Amino acid sequence: MITIYKKDMHNYFSTFSGYLFMACVVLVGGIYCYMYNFYYGYASFEQSINYLPFFFVFLVPVVSAGVFTDEKRQKTEQLLYTLPLTSKDIVLGKYFALLTILFIPLAILGCYPLIMSMYGQVNLVSAYCNLFAIFLLGAALCAICMFISSLTESIIVSAVLCFGGMFVLYQLDGILENLTPSAKNSYIGFILLAVFLAIFIWFMTKNIYIAIIPSAVVVILLNVAYRFSMTLVAGKINLMLSSIAVFSKLNNFMNGIFDVNTTIYYLSIAGLFVLFTVYTFERKRWN
């Protein structure tokens, strides 16, 4: 795993993507820190990094869309498959390299509250808790993009899918605000989710029966609930979408509250998609 980690770290620092990601994070954080904290004189460091999650929509795909597709472009894909390492070691080595690239610029931004404290009183606990939450968000987004990269063969397709996924996740709050919590909307939404679930399971397993059966069960149960009582279905799609709105989970941290549930939530997403990536890589390896 350490060998894979060193190889990917070398790739990030010998190409443009790693430097671009770190420079943009430090630049965005520095600009907003200067404007809010030094120019306008606000003591809250949390306000100056509130916009970092928005830029993750564009920056995370830059650094993580090519985690596996770059192996094919560099003609090292077969070498990766034949290494005497487990799929878990290979995937974790690549993921920890991503986390390092994410951690470096945030660690630089972590120096700003200390500088600010030389000129006034700064809530350091709240500032560093907020940075920690942003790191967890970035870790979850990196895991999602790494999984997408493991599914595709083209760096362009991977980048488009990663950006599209990040954009949809960021816009979920706006979608929820305009989505009426009616039984009809919930019914249509769950039907679409069942279709997506079937496509996803088929893509992962290549077994049409395993893909269809869970989705068919969801559709049957949904129709029974919809016919029996519409109130059982009304608003449920809004509840489900709000549970996967990863960006809105930062609100408590930005308000100075350390949210344990959000911490577990981000760690769970990261672990789940790393597990998906291990499974996908193992399947490709044996194929």
Side-chain angles (χ1 to χ4, degrees):
M1 186 176 67
I2 295 176
T3 303
I4 298 297
Y5 172 82
K6 290 180 178 179
K7 171 184 173 296
D8 275 39
M9 288 300 296
H10 177 268
N11 287 339
Y12 287 132
F13 284 104
S14 61
T15 59
F16 188 64
S17 61
Y19 289 108
L20 177 64
F21 176 83
M22 292 186 291
C24 288
V25 172
V26 173
L27 178 64
V28 170
I31 290 174
Y32 282 102
C33 182
Y34 169 75
M35 293 298 295
Y36 278 97
N37 302 129
F38 291 97
Y39 187 79
Y40 290 109
Y42 293 112
S44 175
F45 178 71
E46 300 88 273
Q47 296 298 321
S48 62
I49 55 175
N50 274 351
Y51 292 95
L52 268 182
F54 168 74
F55 289 94
F56 277 178
V57 174
F58 308 96
L59 296 177
V60 170
V62 170
V63 75
S64 56
V67 172
F68 286 97
T69 53
D70 271 349
E71 300 287 349
K72 186 175 183 64
R73 181 178 60 84
Q74 297 171 2
K75 310 299 182 184
T76 57
E77 185 180 28
Q78 294 301 321
L79 177 63
L80 195 65
Y81 291 149
T82 55
L83 287 174
L85 300 171
T86 64
S87 299
K88 181 187 69 174
D89 291 338
I90 294 173
V91 172
L92 286 178
K94 289 181 169 293
Y95 184 60
F96 287 146
L98 273 177
L99 293 185
T100 303
I101 296 299
L102 173 66
F103 175 78
I104 292 173
L106 294 181
I108 295 174
L109 293 180
C111 299
Y112 295 175
L114 297 177
I115 298 174
M116 291 165 53
S117 64
M118 299 169 59
Y119 300 94
Q121 292 184 350
V122 179
N123 191 336
L124 295 179
V125 175
S126 178
Y128 287 116
C129 284
N130 215 25
L131 267 177
F132 174 69
I134 290 177
F135 174 77
L136 291 180
L137 171 64
L141 297 180
C142 285
I144 294 172
C145 289
M146 184 177 69
F147 170 65
I148 294 174
S149 177
S150 70
L151 296 176
T152 59
E153 302 292 336
S154 169
I155 182 65
I156 297 177
V157 174
S158 177
V160 171
L161 291 177
C162 288
F163 171 72
M166 298 299 100
F167 183 77
V168 170
L169 289 175
Y170 187 79
Q171 292 296 328
L172 274 181
D173 289 334
I175 295 173
L176 286 170
E177 290 178 0
N178 296 289
L179 184 63
T180 305
S182 63
K184 182 179 179 181
N185 287 340
S186 294
Y187 181 82
I188 295 173
F190 278 115
I191 291 294
L192 294 176
L193 286 176
V195 172
F196 175 78
L197 177 65
I199 295 173
F200 176 76
I201 295 176
W202 176 83
F203 195 87
M204 294 290 290
T205 63
K206 299 300 181 182
N207 189 315
I208 189 66
Y209 299 105
I210 297 178
I212 289 178
I213 291 174
S215 299
V217 171
V218 171
V219 172
I220 292 172
L221 293 176
L222 177 65
N223 278 281
V224 171
Y226 188 75
R227 300 297 180 186
F228 180 74
S229 175
M230 291 187 179
T231 57
L232 292 176
V233 182
K236 295 301 186 295
I237 190 65
N238 299 65
L239 184 63
M240 176 171 286
L241 291 178
S242 65
S243 68
I244 60 175
V246 295
F247 287 90
S248 63
K249 306 294 183 184
L250 286 175
N251 291 339
N252 285 337
F253 280 95
M254 291 180 178
N255 292 327
I257 303 171
F258 186 86
D259 193 341
V260 177
N261 292 333
T262 299
T263 302
I264 298 174
Y265 175 80
Y266 284 143
L267 292 176
S268 301
I269 290 179
L272 182 65
F273 279 93
V274 167
L275 183 64
F276 285 161
T277 307
V278 171
Y279 176 80
T280 304
F281 181 81
E282 184 72 14
R283 179 169 58 85
K284 283 187 175 182
R285 197 176 194 178
W286 285 106
N287 287 340

